[in-house]
Structure formats: C-alpha cells, structure tokens
Amino acid sequence: MSERRIRVVNMIPKSLSGETNQDSEPQLTVNPEDHRMMIGTAFTPDPGGGPLGPVYASFDGGNTWTLDLIVPGGEPNDQSVRFGSGSALY
C-alpha cells in the first residue's frame, strides 16, 4: 500500500477564527499552471460589512491563507470558481 499524503487545513485565517457565521458549502480550485495557487469559497460575509464578498486565497500550496475581498455583491452567496489560462480566475 502506498503512503498517503493528505493534510487537512483550516482556510479561515487565525485573525478570523472566532467567526460565528455558517461558512458552509466550501469549494476549492487549484491553478493547473501553478499548484501553489489555490482559491476557496464558502458562504462567508465580508467581516467589515463592505460591498465586496471574500474568497480565501493561498499562494503557497495551502500552508497559509488570506481573505481577499474581490467578489461583487458583498452578500455571501453560492460561488463556483475556476482557473483559466494565464491564471485568470472565473
């Protein structure tokens, strides 16, 4: 039997680990051109109540995560994201 290399991480940055929202229906996409680049989504509101919704971003293969406010609309919604060519995020 081959060795499995699975690691479970918490995408929520430590500074936001006290959140009380239901960050349900998580989704993850990995850039096929650079596997260190990952984007995750969930029903997560902007912690500051602003007009943009967040995505979780990692640029080091999932070792660290940040919350980037880039989705128009602000309200948590069901998001599906995928990488396209040239690292474009759709």
Side-chain angles (χ1 to χ4, degrees):
M1 179 179 236
S2 64
E3 179 182 338
R4 294 184 184 204
R5 293 184 177 197
I6 297 173
R7 183 170 49 111
V8 177
V9 299
N10 185 353
M11 292 188 310
I12 297 175
K14 188 171 184 170
S15 63
L16 299 173
S17 65
E19 61 87 25
T20 58
N21 301 300
Q22 183 181 357
D23 289 332
S24 60
E25 298 186 33
Q27 191 261 331
L28 179 70
T29 187
V30 179
N31 185 341
E33 296 177 12
D34 181 354
H35 292 133
R36 296 170 299 159
M37 187 181 298
M38 303 175 180
I39 300 292
T41 64
F43 282 99
T44 303
D46 173 358
L52 296 175
V55 297
Y56 297 96
S58 177
F59 301 99
D60 61 6
N63 289 311
T64 60
W65 292 87
T66 60
L67 194 66
D68 289 339
L69 302 170
I70 62 170
V71 180
E75 290 296 317
N77 51 39
D78 194 3
Q79 303 171 42
S80 293
V81 294
R82 295 289 181 266
F83 281 100
S85 64
S87 299
L89 183 64
Y90 295 93

